[in-house]
Amino acid sequence: MDGLIIKPKWADMVLSGFKPWEIRGSRTHKRGTIGIIKSGSGLVLSRAAAA
């Protein structure tokens, strides 16, 4: 499984549902299920669908 590493402040907002989108400066070719990883932890905290 591939993962998206997000800084702790933003990862908490994404995981709580307060921030439903994570916008990046470049496109990804990854599709399907990805892991949400809080930077510095190395742990997959949740899974999400990348479309």
Side-chain angles (χ1 to χ4, degrees), residues 8-29:
K9 172 184 174 181
W10 304 113
D12 290 338
M13 288 185 189
V14 168
L15 294 171
S16 71
F18 183 77
K19 185 176 187 278
W21 295 91
E22 175 61 17
I23 308 284
R24 297 291 176 115
S26 58
R27 297 180 65 167
T28 183
H29 297 288

Side-chain angles (χ1 to χ4, degrees), residues 1-5 28 30-37 42-50:
M1 176 188 326
D2 292 310
L4 180 65
I5 299 171
T28 183
K30 304 292 182 190
R31 295 294 179 261
T33 302
I34 60 167
I36 304 296
I37 303 167
L43 301 173
V44 176
L45 301 174
S46 184
R47 292 181 293 163

